[in-house]
């Protein structure tokens, strides 16, 4: 009975006491990158149909806004998934999702309530992306990223130790 008790205690400690923050950050980066990238691929494939009806921002033509959005969706997603310039790469998607939320709430659906509990409201999607990107912006890419490997390399060239220079990531 004591061995079973010890095994259960060890399992409990393993599943509740250990943190896997670097794996969690990798998962979050890969998840949001794939999810956002699929919008870019859809926009790219349907460019001819969308270029005339895509919302305009700052007075730019629809086709220009669509090209910018496709670039944000594809390039930033790739950078975030690989962990390259991660924090900088979250800023364009955050801005684009704020613009999308504004468009959904103010221009596209002025007659519907965006504060209801209907799970099919399109306003939830940009807010979800904003939340995930803000998490990545604050938490950083973690140790399983190109940013971390480049930082360790640069610190080594400067003769510094990454354990002394970097906060626990």
């Amino acid at each position: 009975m004591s061995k079973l008790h010890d095994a259960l205690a060890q399992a409990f400690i393993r599943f509740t006491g250990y943190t896997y923050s670097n794996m969690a950050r990798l998962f979050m980066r890969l998840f949001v990158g794939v999810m956002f990238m699929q919008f870019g691929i859809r926009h790219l494939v349907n460019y001819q149909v969308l270029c005339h009806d895509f919302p305009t921002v700052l007075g730019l033509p629809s086709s220009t806004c669509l090209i910018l959005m496709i670039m944000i969706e594809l390039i930033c997603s790739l950078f975030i998934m690989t962990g390259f310039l991660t924090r900088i790469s979250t800023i364009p998607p955050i801005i684009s999702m704020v613009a999308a939320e504004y468009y959904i709430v103010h221009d596209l659906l002025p007659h519907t309530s965006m504060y209801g509990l209907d799970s099919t409201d399109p306003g939830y999607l940009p807010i979800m992306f904003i939340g995930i990107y803000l998490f990545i912006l604050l938490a950083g890419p973690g140790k399983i990223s190109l940013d971390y490997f480049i930082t360790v390399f640069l610190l080594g060239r400067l003769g510094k130790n990454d354990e002394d220079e970097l906060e626990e990531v």
Side-chain angles (χ1 to χ4, degrees):
M1 188 66 172
S2 177
K3 288 184 180 184
L4 177 62
H5 183 267
D6 290 345
L8 287 175
Q10 286 290 31
F12 183 82
I13 291 168
R14 174 70 67 189
F15 290 117
T16 60
Y18 287 75
T19 60
Y20 302 99
S21 63
N22 291 307
M23 289 295 288
R25 291 183 217 183
L26 173 64
F27 170 79
M28 187 64 73
R29 287 192 346 259
L30 293 175
F31 173 77
V32 78
V34 168
M35 294 304 291
F36 205 56
M37 184 179 281
Q38 57 102 10
F39 287 107
I41 293 169
R42 287 183 192 174
H43 286 149
L44 188 61
V45 169
N46 298 310
Y47 178 80
Q48 291 300 323
V49 175
L50 295 171
C51 71
H52 304 293
D53 297 330
F54 200 77
T56 61
V57 178
L58 301 174
L60 296 172
S62 292
S63 59
T64 304
C65 290
L66 181 57
I67 290 169
L68 286 172
M69 191 64 187
I70 291 169
M71 289 173 49
I72 289 170
E73 290 166 341
L74 295 178
I75 295 169
C76 292
S77 292
L78 282 172
F79 280 14
I80 289 168
M81 288 188 313
T82 59
F84 180 66
L85 301 174
T86 307
R87 287 186 164 132
I88 294 169
S89 297
T90 61
I91 295 170
I94 289 171
I95 293 169
S96 69
M97 289 295 98
V98 167
E101 180 65 20
Y102 178 82
Y103 175 75
I104 289 170
V105 172
H106 290 91
D107 295 338
L108 183 62
L109 302 169
H111 60 278
T112 59
S113 170
M114 296 308 293
Y115 302 105
L117 295 177
D118 185 6
S119 64
T120 61
D121 278 340
Y124 287 116
L125 194 60
I127 291 172
M128 180 198 65
F129 276 113
I130 291 168
I132 293 172
Y133 285 125
L134 285 174
F135 170 80
I136 293 171
L137 181 69
L138 294 172
K143 288 185 176 181
I144 309 171
S145 66
L146 287 176
D147 287 345
Y148 180 77
F149 294 124
I150 292 169
T151 300
V152 170
F153 172 76
L154 292 174
L155 286 172
R157 290 192 68 197
L158 295 172
K160 297 181 179 181
N161 186 350
D162 62 309
E163 293 175 7
D164 295 335
E165 294 294 322
L166 297 178
E167 185 177 325
E168 176 58 33
V169 291

